[in-house]
Amino acid sequence: MLSTKLRTHTCGELNKIHIGQSIILCGWVQTIRKLGGMTFVDLRDKYGITQLTLGEKINTADLGRETVIKVQGKVIERSNKNLKIPTGEIEIAVENIQVLNSAKLPPFTIEDETDGGDDLRMKFRYLDLRRNVVRKNLELRHQMATETRNYLNSQKFIEVETPVLIKSTPEGARDFVVPSRMNQSEFYALPQSPQTFKQLMMVGGLDRYYQIVKCFRDEDLRADRQPEFTQIDCEMSFVEREDILQIFEGMVRHLFKAVKGIDIPELPRMTYDDAMKYYGNDKPDTRFEMKFVELNDVVKGKAFKVFDDAELVVGICAKGCAEYTRKQLDELTEFVKRPQIGATGLVYAKYNSDETLKSSVDKFYNEDELKKWAAAFNAQPGDLFLVLAGEKNKTRKALSELRLEMGTRLNLRRPDDFKCLWVLDFPLLEHNEETKRWYAMHHPFTSSNLESLGNIVFEKGNLVSPSPAEIKANAYDMVINGVEVGGGSIRIHQKGIQELIFRILGFSQEEAQARFGFLMNAFEYGAPPHGGIAFGFDRLCSLFGGSESIRDFIAFPKNNAGRDVMIESPSVISEEQLKELGIKIDKK
């Protein structure tokens, strides 16, 4: 019972054992139905719905949808029971009704199956929050946060808050910056991550830290990205990679058991190189097989220029799809030729149920040659081969998208089927062709195998030995159903190595000191070996809730343009505020 001075019960708890009791309920009017001289009202609050019966003597003139009311009455048995809801065997014979607040007609129906589109519901988000489906998402988020804290607390972690107004370090995603009134012409940044602070806490001897923390990135948005998002941020001292993997594999298995009632087996591990080779990306969806098969040795030298000129010829085998029609195959061809996929075309071959083989390139490959394809794919009659060719990285990326599309079409990516894994041994660096620079794939504080690769040689400020591409990071990502939900690394904890990494990244000694001198200085005072991980909390919630959009699990999300259409933010500020901040805006 959740009684207060205004109510004795909630709208979701009354049942047959309460028959005969006098009660008081408060809530919103969901529906009104008039039958003869009687009026039936469904009264809703956070906890459920209770049917009210109002006789002719009760004034219903002021009742409308979403009116807030208080009713006093007696619990009676319901004649036409609704066993789909917990309160469906009773109703309230109303003796007195009080309107606590009237309501305008809402712009959309506040029911699970609403008639409101996304934009309308975001504009009136406070109404959308009244719907069961939205409320349940937020309740799931609350449960996830509670169980996360329960687990980490049991593992001797302590929760510590880190600053929100920090220093801009323009590497990676763009910062949101905040002007300082007291220090004009200088700016704070909102944190993309508490990375350096949690490392400093390890220097400070806190040993095990976590925080469920807001972070901010000024980047283009999509279904799984918001300008402000929440991380489960963690760090540990005196650990190696295996310690991190064990602790946080345990956390995710705990969440699945406590929240979903699912026992997740021990997480398999895959290297970055294998993920790219067999799945075409570093966050493979392993709910289904359909691994890549490289065909260079099988298909080249047959006068088919597309394959002969390609750096990589690679394909997938779609089990049982040899009956695909020409229309279906044309749809797949158009799919891979979309600009966001980037392939120039698609080659296919059918291993028919009668064991004959036919392809879209029969002019170049006879049936004996196609049998070699079938052997490479380890195929069975009834299978379909889908093959792409071109530059290695671009082709793998395109085939990865095609593989996921086939998984969706074949219903192999069910949201209630969870497959988790660790991806390990990432490259430390990635090269940007536009800027001709190497950048940290994760962040510049990640430890690596650099010291085991021999002498380090620079020429004209660039690392030439070992090759930057050879350097592996001591980093790890957790992937669930093709979504990267968490990533981290063992950190650099020695000043000299950190300075070396900054040099490889093209930082001058002065730049490195200006941006990260506080961290390198701290390393001189006995920094312990340490490492950590951060999980995308919003992404975890959406996965557990079976949704592709994290917006469904955020109380007040932004739209795809980064705007809050409810409060109309961001917005213009006054000339007086700009003047106080020492900011001049050119309005031309």
Side-chain angles (χ1 to χ4, degrees):
M1 183 185 298
L2 189 68
S3 64
T4 65
K5 291 186 178 180
L6 271 183
R7 62 185 178 185
T8 60
H9 296 79
T10 70
C11 295
E13 66 178 293
L14 297 172
N15 54 51
K16 290 178 71 173
I17 67 171
H18 299 96
I19 289 175
Q21 292 185 20
S22 293
I23 57 87
I24 301 172
L25 298 179
C26 294
W28 288 265
V29 173
Q30 172 113 345
T31 60
I32 303 173
R33 305 180 298 281
K34 292 185 180 292
L35 296 174
M38 298 294 290
T39 299
F40 296 90
V41 172
D42 284 343
L43 187 66
R44 182 194 72 243
D45 65 9
K46 171 190 168 183
Y47 306 96
I49 292 176
T50 299
Q51 180 170 286
L52 314 178
T53 60
L54 289 76
E56 293 181 333
K57 294 182 180 180
I58 303 294
N59 180 15
T60 62
D62 294 332
L63 296 187
R65 279 172 46 197
E66 302 308 311
T67 300
V68 187
I69 62 174
K70 173 184 174 182
V71 296
Q72 185 174 358
K74 185 167 289 187
V75 181
I76 61 174
E77 187 168 3
R78 184 168 167 172
S79 57
N80 59 330
K81 295 178 173 58
N82 178 4
L83 300 182
K84 294 181 180 179
I85 59 174
T87 61
E89 294 184 277
I90 59 92
E91 58 190 6
I92 308 303
V94 174
E95 298 165 358
N96 183 54
I97 187 168
Q98 178 184 354
V99 174
L100 299 177
N101 210 340
S102 59
K104 292 168 63 176
L105 184 68
F108 54 85
T109 55
I110 300 176
E111 297 175 359
D112 288 358
E113 299 297 327
T114 183
D115 55 358
D118 283 350
D119 291 342
L120 185 63
R121 291 188 294 107
M122 289 304 100
K123 185 174 179 61
F124 295 91
R125 182 63 167 174
Y126 46 85
L127 298 180
D128 198 37
L129 291 174
R130 295 180 188 174
R131 297 195 304 125
N132 284 332
V133 290
V134 181
R135 189 195 72 246
K136 287 178 180 177
N137 286 346
L138 295 182
E139 289 174 348
L140 172 66
R141 185 184 178 99
H142 165 73
Q143 188 181 6
M144 293 280 287
T146 298
E147 293 299 339
T148 296
R149 287 188 167 96
N150 287 345
Y151 176 83
L152 293 173
N153 292 344
S154 75
Q155 299 295 318
K156 309 298 184 185
F157 285 78
I158 64 168
E159 187 168 12
V160 183
E161 292 180 331
T162 51
V164 174
L165 296 175
I166 66 168
K167 181 178 184 177
S168 180
T169 55
E171 287 286 316
R174 298 181 188 90
D175 287 327
F176 282 102
V177 295
V178 181
S180 170
R181 179 185 60 82
M182 292 184 290
N183 303 278
Q184 292 198 359
S185 299
E186 296 184 320
F187 294 81
Y188 300 105
L190 302 181
Q192 296 184 32
S193 158
Q195 180 63 44
T196 54
F197 288 102
K198 64 180 180 178
Q199 289 191 249
L200 291 170
M201 279 191 272
M202 298 303 100
V203 178
L206 295 187
D207 198 67
R208 293 189 175 193
Y209 138 92
Y210 80 93
Q211 186 180 187
I212 300 179
V213 58
K214 277 282 190 187
C215 300
F216 308 84
R217 291 180 187 170
D218 187 6
E219 54 189 359
D220 296 336
L221 306 182
R222 58 189 186 213
D224 65 347
R225 184 180 287 170
Q226 285 271 298
E228 52 180 303
F229 58 97
T230 304
Q231 285 186 179
I232 306 170
D233 196 64
C234 309
E235 200 78 3
M236 303 170 66
S237 289
F238 302 109
V239 291
E240 296 179 340
R241 183 177 78 179
E242 189 61 32
D243 301 301
I244 303 283
L245 300 188
Q246 290 294 332
I247 286 284
F248 292 100
E249 181 171 322
M251 186 188 84
V252 168
R253 294 174 72 182
H254 169 80
L255 288 174
F256 271 108
K257 184 64 175 179
V259 177
K260 301 287 290 183
I262 296 173
D263 289 308
I264 296 293
E266 183 177 341
L267 270 61
R269 301 178 184 187
M270 184 183 303
T271 65
Y272 170 88
D273 289 343
D274 280 350
M276 298 304 295
K277 180 177 181 179
Y278 294 117
Y279 298 94
N281 67 60
D282 58 5
K283 45 183 184 297
D285 187 341
T286 55
R287 284 175 290 184
F288 62 107
E289 280 290 320
M290 216 178 291
K291 289 182 179 179
F292 290 10
V293 175
E294 296 184 2
L295 300 169
N296 285 26
D297 294 341
V298 177
V299 303
K300 288 192 177 239
K302 304 300 177 183
F304 183 43
K305 187 173 176 59
V306 172
F307 285 176
D308 287 345
D309 292 349
E311 183 182 7
L312 176 68
V313 183
V314 63
I316 54 174
C317 178
K319 295 291 183 183
C321 294
E323 299 300 320
Y324 263 37
T325 65
R326 180 59 183 267
K327 180 182 177 182
Q328 288 173 302
L329 292 167
D330 286 346
E331 286 176 355
L332 293 176
T333 302
E334 291 306 309
F335 173 82
V336 299
K337 290 168 70 174
R338 290 161 56 186
Q340 57 268 48
I341 308 298
T344 55
L346 173 68
V347 172
Y348 59 85
K350 295 181 176 183
Y351 192 179
N352 297 312
S353 56
D354 62 2
E355 299 191 15
T356 60
L357 286 135
K358 294 291 182 182
S359 79
S360 58
V361 287
D362 278 349
K363 179 180 177 181
F364 303 95
Y365 299 91
N366 59 33
E367 191 157 355
D368 286 340
E369 292 294 338
L370 293 177
K371 285 180 180 178
K372 297 177 182 178
W373 294 26
F377 282 113
N378 194 25
Q380 301 296 321
D383 293 347
L384 173 69
F385 315 146
L386 301 170
V387 181
L388 298 179
E391 187 273 327
K392 181 173 62 177
N393 293 335
K394 182 179 177 182
T395 301
R396 282 177 174 164
K397 179 179 180 296
L399 188 61
S400 173
E401 295 297 332
L402 178 60
R403 175 183 177 272
L404 294 175
E405 175 68 13
M406 290 303 298
T408 300
R409 289 182 179 221
L410 297 173
N411 195 32
L412 301 174
R413 304 177 69 194
R414 295 182 297 274
D416 58 349
D417 179 21
F418 297 98
K419 289 293 187 294
C420 313
L421 77 152
W422 289 108
V423 178
L424 311 173
D425 300 329
F426 285 82
L428 183 73
L429 307 166
E430 55 186 346
H431 194 257
N432 185 302
E433 291 300 326
E434 292 182 10
T435 61
K436 307 298 181 185
R437 271 189 59 192
W438 289 93
Y439 291 86
M441 180 172 275
H442 282 72
H443 55 61
F445 316 110
T446 301
S447 67
S448 69
N449 67 336
L450 185 61
E451 293 176 287
S452 66
L453 294 177
N455 293 331
I456 296 167
V457 179
F458 286 86
E459 287 183 7
K460 297 180 180 179
N462 297 315
L463 179 69
V464 294
S465 179
S467 166
E470 295 177 9
I471 307 173
K472 294 292 187 183
N474 199 350
Y476 32 81
D477 280 358
M478 184 183 288
V479 177
I480 303 177
N481 293 1
V483 177
E484 177 210 327
V485 297
S489 65
I490 298 299
R491 320 302 187 190
I492 297 166
H493 68 283
Q494 294 167 311
K495 181 179 180 181
I497 297 174
Q498 187 65 76
E499 287 176 329
L500 175 61
I501 294 298
F502 285 144
R503 186 180 176 191
I504 292 171
L505 294 172
F507 286 53
S508 69
Q509 193 170 356
E510 292 73 24
E511 284 178 310
Q513 186 64 32
R515 293 186 188 182
F516 301 108
F518 63 92
L519 182 64
M520 291 189 291
N521 293 342
F523 287 169
E524 295 185 291
Y525 290 92
H530 59 282
I533 193 168
F535 289 87
F537 184 60
D538 311 295
R539 287 183 185 179
L540 270 176
C541 291
S542 64
L543 271 169
F544 275 57
S547 171
E548 292 185 357
S549 174
I550 65 173
R551 292 197 308 179
D552 297 338
F553 296 83
I554 298 173
F556 298 100
K558 307 289 190 294
N559 67 11
N560 286 340
R563 300 193 65 85
D564 186 325
V565 294
M566 181 183 67
I567 64 172
E568 298 183 349
S569 171
S571 61
V572 175
I573 64 173
S574 69
E575 291 285 349
E576 183 179 349
Q577 287 175 289
L578 290 170
K579 186 177 180 180
E580 279 188 332
L581 295 168
I583 295 175
K584 294 182 181 179
I585 294 181
D586 187 351
K587 296 183 179 180
K588 292 182 182 179

PDB file of all heavy atoms in Angstrom, residues 25 95 97 102 113 160 246 259 270 330 334 347 358 398 422 443-444 484 534 583 587:
ATOM      1  N   LEU A  25      -8.782   7.145  -4.178  1.00  0.00           N
ATOM      2  CA  LEU A  25      -7.819   7.074  -5.273  1.00  0.00           C
ATOM      3  C   LEU A  25      -7.629   8.448  -5.902  1.00  0.00           C
ATOM      4  O   LEU A  25      -8.554   9.274  -5.899  1.00  0.00           O
ATOM      5  CB  LEU A  25      -8.297   6.107  -6.372  1.00  0.00           C
ATOM      6  CG  LEU A  25      -8.486   4.634  -6.012  1.00  0.00           C
ATOM      7  CD1 LEU A  25      -8.984   3.862  -7.231  1.00  0.00           C
ATOM      8  CD2 LEU A  25      -7.197   4.027  -5.490  1.00  0.00           C
ATOM      9  N   GLU A  95     -18.561   7.421  -4.440  1.00  0.00           N
ATOM     10  CA  GLU A  95     -19.488   8.164  -3.571  1.00  0.00           C
ATOM     11  C   GLU A  95     -19.233   9.659  -3.647  1.00  0.00           C
ATOM     12  O   GLU A  95     -20.142  10.465  -3.460  1.00  0.00           O
ATOM     13  CB  GLU A  95     -19.332   7.673  -2.128  1.00  0.00           C
ATOM     14  CG  GLU A  95     -19.672   6.189  -1.963  1.00  0.00           C
ATOM     15  CD  GLU A  95     -19.176   5.615  -0.641  1.00  0.00           C
ATOM     16  OE1 GLU A  95     -18.541   6.377   0.128  1.00  0.00           O
ATOM     17  OE2 GLU A  95     -19.407   4.424  -0.380  1.00  0.00           O
ATOM     18  N   ILE A  97     -16.531  12.702  -5.742  1.00  0.00           N
ATOM     19  CA  ILE A  97     -15.477  12.961  -6.725  1.00  0.00           C
ATOM     20  C   ILE A  97     -15.056  14.417  -6.631  1.00  0.00           C
ATOM     21  O   ILE A  97     -15.897  15.308  -6.435  1.00  0.00           O
ATOM     22  CB  ILE A  97     -15.956  12.614  -8.154  1.00  0.00           C
ATOM     23  CG1 ILE A  97     -14.803  12.723  -9.150  1.00  0.00           C
ATOM     24  CG2 ILE A  97     -17.129  13.485  -8.584  1.00  0.00           C
ATOM     25  CD1 ILE A  97     -15.134  12.110 -10.500  1.00  0.00           C
ATOM     26  N   SER A 102      -8.312  20.490 -13.985  1.00  0.00           N
ATOM     27  CA  SER A 102      -8.886  20.184 -15.292  1.00  0.00           C
ATOM     28  C   SER A 102      -7.770  20.078 -16.325  1.00  0.00           C
ATOM     29  O   SER A 102      -6.625  20.449 -16.053  1.00  0.00           O
ATOM     30  CB  SER A 102      -9.893  21.261 -15.702  1.00  0.00           C
ATOM     31  OG  SER A 102      -9.254  22.521 -15.744  1.00  0.00           O
ATOM     32  N   GLU A 113      -0.675   2.225 -27.706  1.00  0.00           N
ATOM     33  CA  GLU A 113      -0.692   2.428 -29.158  1.00  0.00           C
ATOM     34  C   GLU A 113      -1.229   3.824 -29.421  1.00  0.00           C
ATOM     35  O   GLU A 113      -2.415   4.019 -29.642  1.00  0.00           O
ATOM     36  CB  GLU A 113      -1.551   1.361 -29.839  1.00  0.00           C
ATOM     37  CG  GLU A 113      -1.054  -0.065 -29.634  1.00  0.00           C
ATOM     38  CD  GLU A 113       0.317  -0.291 -30.246  1.00  0.00           C
ATOM     39  OE1 GLU A 113       0.607   0.326 -31.284  1.00  0.00           O
ATOM     40  OE2 GLU A 113       1.097  -1.088 -29.680  1.00  0.00           O
ATOM     41  N   VAL A 160      32.357   8.085  -7.104  1.00  0.00           N
ATOM     42  CA  VAL A 160      32.909   9.426  -6.906  1.00  0.00           C
ATOM     43  C   VAL A 160      32.483  10.307  -8.083  1.00  0.00           C
ATOM     44  O   VAL A 160      32.577   9.890  -9.236  1.00  0.00           O
ATOM     45  CB  VAL A 160      34.452   9.407  -6.824  1.00  0.00           C
ATOM     46  CG1 VAL A 160      34.992  10.802  -6.534  1.00  0.00           C
ATOM     47  CG2 VAL A 160      34.930   8.415  -5.771  1.00  0.00           C
ATOM     48  N   GLN A 246      37.378 -10.044 -16.346  1.00  0.00           N
ATOM     49  CA  GLN A 246      36.636 -10.896 -15.415  1.00  0.00           C
ATOM     50  C   GLN A 246      35.620 -10.080 -14.608  1.00  0.00           C
ATOM     51  O   GLN A 246      34.463 -10.480 -14.463  1.00  0.00           O
ATOM     52  CB  GLN A 246      37.609 -11.622 -14.474  1.00  0.00           C
ATOM     53  CG  GLN A 246      38.448 -12.688 -15.149  1.00  0.00           C
ATOM     54  CD  GLN A 246      37.638 -13.869 -15.655  1.00  0.00           C
ATOM     55  OE1 GLN A 246      36.579 -14.182 -15.114  1.00  0.00           O
ATOM     56  NE2 GLN A 246      38.118 -14.503 -16.709  1.00  0.00           N
ATOM     57  N   VAL A 259      18.036  -8.446 -14.172  1.00  0.00           N
ATOM     58  CA  VAL A 259      17.032  -7.639 -14.876  1.00  0.00           C
ATOM     59  C   VAL A 259      16.204  -8.466 -15.845  1.00  0.00           C
ATOM     60  O   VAL A 259      14.993  -8.277 -15.956  1.00  0.00           O
ATOM     61  CB  VAL A 259      17.726  -6.475 -15.627  1.00  0.00           C
ATOM     62  CG1 VAL A 259      16.719  -5.656 -16.421  1.00  0.00           C
ATOM     63  CG2 VAL A 259      18.471  -5.576 -14.639  1.00  0.00           C
ATOM     64  N   MET A 270      37.456 -12.463 -29.246  1.00  0.00           N
ATOM     65  CA  MET A 270      37.829 -12.392 -30.648  1.00  0.00           C
ATOM     66  C   MET A 270      38.807 -11.248 -30.825  1.00  0.00           C
ATOM     67  O   MET A 270      38.629 -10.180 -30.236  1.00  0.00           O
ATOM     68  CB  MET A 270      36.574 -12.151 -31.507  1.00  0.00           C
ATOM     69  CG  MET A 270      36.801 -12.139 -33.006  1.00  0.00           C
ATOM     70  SD  MET A 270      35.270 -11.750 -33.930  1.00  0.00           S
ATOM     71  CE  MET A 270      34.178 -13.041 -33.336  1.00  0.00           C
ATOM     72  N   ASP A 330      18.001  -8.349 -57.274  1.00  0.00           N
ATOM     73  CA  ASP A 330      18.156  -6.961 -57.720  1.00  0.00           C
ATOM     74  C   ASP A 330      18.038  -6.002 -56.541  1.00  0.00           C
ATOM     75  O   ASP A 330      18.748  -4.986 -56.474  1.00  0.00           O
ATOM     76  CB  ASP A 330      17.101  -6.625 -58.775  1.00  0.00           C
ATOM     77  CG  ASP A 330      17.402  -7.270 -60.131  1.00  0.00           C
ATOM     78  OD1 ASP A 330      18.539  -7.746 -60.318  1.00  0.00           O
ATOM     79  OD2 ASP A 330      16.484  -7.305 -60.977  1.00  0.00           O
ATOM     80  N   GLU A 334      20.858  -3.304 -55.416  1.00  0.00           N
ATOM     81  CA  GLU A 334      20.596  -1.884 -55.179  1.00  0.00           C
ATOM     82  C   GLU A 334      20.973  -1.491 -53.762  1.00  0.00           C
ATOM     83  O   GLU A 334      21.440  -0.374 -53.519  1.00  0.00           O
ATOM     84  CB  GLU A 334      19.124  -1.558 -55.455  1.00  0.00           C
ATOM     85  CG  GLU A 334      18.736  -1.634 -56.923  1.00  0.00           C
ATOM     86  CD  GLU A 334      19.640  -0.769 -57.792  1.00  0.00           C
ATOM     87  OE1 GLU A 334      19.816   0.426 -57.464  1.00  0.00           O
ATOM     88  OE2 GLU A 334      20.185  -1.289 -58.790  1.00  0.00           O
ATOM     89  N   VAL A 347      27.954  -9.698 -57.119  1.00  0.00           N
ATOM     90  CA  VAL A 347      28.004 -10.961 -57.860  1.00  0.00           C
ATOM     91  C   VAL A 347      27.338 -12.026 -56.991  1.00  0.00           C
ATOM     92  O   VAL A 347      27.572 -12.078 -55.779  1.00  0.00           O
ATOM     93  CB  VAL A 347      29.457 -11.359 -58.185  1.00  0.00           C
ATOM     94  CG1 VAL A 347      29.508 -12.763 -58.786  1.00  0.00           C
ATOM     95  CG2 VAL A 347      30.083 -10.348 -59.141  1.00  0.00           C
ATOM     96  N   LYS A 358      24.615 -22.003 -60.662  1.00  0.00           N
ATOM     97  CA  LYS A 358      24.422 -20.924 -61.627  1.00  0.00           C
ATOM     98  C   LYS A 358      24.816 -19.616 -60.972  1.00  0.00           C
ATOM     99  O   LYS A 358      24.534 -19.402 -59.784  1.00  0.00           O
ATOM    100  CB  LYS A 358      22.962 -20.853 -62.091  1.00  0.00           C
ATOM    101  CG  LYS A 358      22.494 -22.050 -62.898  1.00  0.00           C
ATOM    102  CD  LYS A 358      23.161 -22.090 -64.270  1.00  0.00           C
ATOM    103  CE  LYS A 358      22.661 -23.257 -65.112  1.00  0.00           C
ATOM    104  NZ  LYS A 358      23.333 -23.313 -66.416  1.00  0.00           N
ATOM    105  N   ALA A 398      31.341  -2.795 -46.831  1.00  0.00           N
ATOM    106  CA  ALA A 398      30.109  -2.983 -47.592  1.00  0.00           C
ATOM    107  C   ALA A 398      29.521  -4.374 -47.355  1.00  0.00           C
ATOM    108  O   ALA A 398      28.301  -4.537 -47.183  1.00  0.00           O
ATOM    109  CB  ALA A 398      30.382  -2.764 -49.077  1.00  0.00           C
ATOM    110  N   TRP A 422      33.903 -10.346 -26.177  1.00  0.00           N
ATOM    111  CA  TRP A 422      34.968  -9.352 -26.065  1.00  0.00           C
ATOM    112  C   TRP A 422      35.718  -9.285 -27.393  1.00  0.00           C
ATOM    113  O   TRP A 422      36.026 -10.318 -27.982  1.00  0.00           O
ATOM    114  CB  TRP A 422      35.970  -9.739 -24.982  1.00  0.00           C
ATOM    115  CG  TRP A 422      35.490  -9.634 -23.571  1.00  0.00           C
ATOM    116  CD1 TRP A 422      35.190 -10.662 -22.722  1.00  0.00           C
ATOM    117  CD2 TRP A 422      35.307  -8.435 -22.817  1.00  0.00           C
ATOM    118  NE1 TRP A 422      34.816 -10.169 -21.500  1.00  0.00           N
ATOM    119  CE2 TRP A 422      34.876  -8.806 -21.519  1.00  0.00           C
ATOM    120  CE3 TRP A 422      35.446  -7.073 -23.103  1.00  0.00           C
ATOM    121  CZ2 TRP A 422      34.598  -7.883 -20.532  1.00  0.00           C
ATOM    122  CZ3 TRP A 422      35.171  -6.151 -22.117  1.00  0.00           C
ATOM    123  CH2 TRP A 422      34.754  -6.545 -20.849  1.00  0.00           C
ATOM    124  N   HIS A 443      41.985   6.309 -27.167  1.00  0.00           N
ATOM    125  CA  HIS A 443      42.422   7.614 -26.663  1.00  0.00           C
ATOM    126  C   HIS A 443      43.915   7.531 -26.386  1.00  0.00           C
ATOM    127  O   HIS A 443      44.487   6.432 -26.330  1.00  0.00           O
ATOM    128  CB  HIS A 443      41.623   8.061 -25.426  1.00  0.00           C
ATOM    129  CG  HIS A 443      41.626   7.081 -24.299  1.00  0.00           C
ATOM    130  ND1 HIS A 443      42.783   6.692 -23.662  1.00  0.00           N
ATOM    131  CD2 HIS A 443      40.617   6.409 -23.694  1.00  0.00           C
ATOM    132  CE1 HIS A 443      42.480   5.830 -22.717  1.00  0.00           C
ATOM    133  NE2 HIS A 443      41.174   5.631 -22.720  1.00  0.00           N
ATOM    134  N   PRO A 444      44.577   8.657 -26.224  1.00  0.00           N
ATOM    135  CA  PRO A 444      46.051   8.635 -26.162  1.00  0.00           C
ATOM    136  C   PRO A 444      46.634   8.123 -24.851  1.00  0.00           C
ATOM    137  O   PRO A 444      47.850   8.135 -24.691  1.00  0.00           O
ATOM    138  CB  PRO A 444      46.430  10.109 -26.376  1.00  0.00           C
ATOM    139  CG  PRO A 444      45.241  10.883 -25.943  1.00  0.00           C
ATOM    140  CD  PRO A 444      44.052  10.035 -26.289  1.00  0.00           C
ATOM    141  N   GLU A 484      28.542  -2.048 -29.820  1.00  0.00           N
ATOM    142  CA  GLU A 484      29.596  -1.837 -28.837  1.00  0.00           C
ATOM    143  C   GLU A 484      28.967  -1.177 -27.615  1.00  0.00           C
ATOM    144  O   GLU A 484      28.537  -0.028 -27.673  1.00  0.00           O
ATOM    145  CB  GLU A 484      30.690  -0.940 -29.404  1.00  0.00           C
ATOM    146  CG  GLU A 484      31.794  -0.614 -28.413  1.00  0.00           C
ATOM    147  CD  GLU A 484      32.441   0.743 -28.640  1.00  0.00           C
ATOM    148  OE1 GLU A 484      32.526   1.164 -29.811  1.00  0.00           O
ATOM    149  OE2 GLU A 484      32.830   1.377 -27.644  1.00  0.00           O
ATOM    150  N   ALA A 534      34.433   1.891 -19.802  1.00  0.00           N
ATOM    151  CA  ALA A 534      33.207   2.693 -19.718  1.00  0.00           C
ATOM    152  C   ALA A 534      32.150   2.023 -20.583  1.00  0.00           C
ATOM    153  O   ALA A 534      32.419   1.642 -21.727  1.00  0.00           O
ATOM    154  CB  ALA A 534      33.452   4.123 -20.181  1.00  0.00           C
ATOM    155  N   ILE A 583      31.374  38.255 -25.116  1.00  0.00           N
ATOM    156  CA  ILE A 583      31.244  37.602 -26.416  1.00  0.00           C
ATOM    157  C   ILE A 583      30.541  38.544 -27.384  1.00  0.00           C
ATOM    158  O   ILE A 583      29.487  39.116 -27.066  1.00  0.00           O
ATOM    159  CB  ILE A 583      30.449  36.284 -26.297  1.00  0.00           C
ATOM    160  CG1 ILE A 583      31.241  35.285 -25.441  1.00  0.00           C
ATOM    161  CG2 ILE A 583      30.151  35.691 -27.667  1.00  0.00           C
ATOM    162  CD1 ILE A 583      30.487  34.002 -25.174  1.00  0.00           C
ATOM    163  N   LYS A 587      26.383  39.422 -36.614  1.00  0.00           N
ATOM    164  CA  LYS A 587      25.037  39.067 -37.061  1.00  0.00           C
ATOM    165  C   LYS A 587      24.850  39.204 -38.570  1.00  0.00           C
ATOM    166  O   LYS A 587      23.738  39.135 -39.080  1.00  0.00           O
ATOM    167  CB  LYS A 587      23.997  39.925 -36.336  1.00  0.00           C
ATOM    168  CG  LYS A 587      23.984  39.678 -34.835  1.00  0.00           C
ATOM    169  CD  LYS A 587      22.906  40.482 -34.148  1.00  0.00           C
ATOM    170  CE  LYS A 587      22.885  40.205 -32.649  1.00  0.00           C
ATOM    171  NZ  LYS A 587      21.832  40.977 -31.940  1.00  0.00           N
TER     172      LYS A 587
END
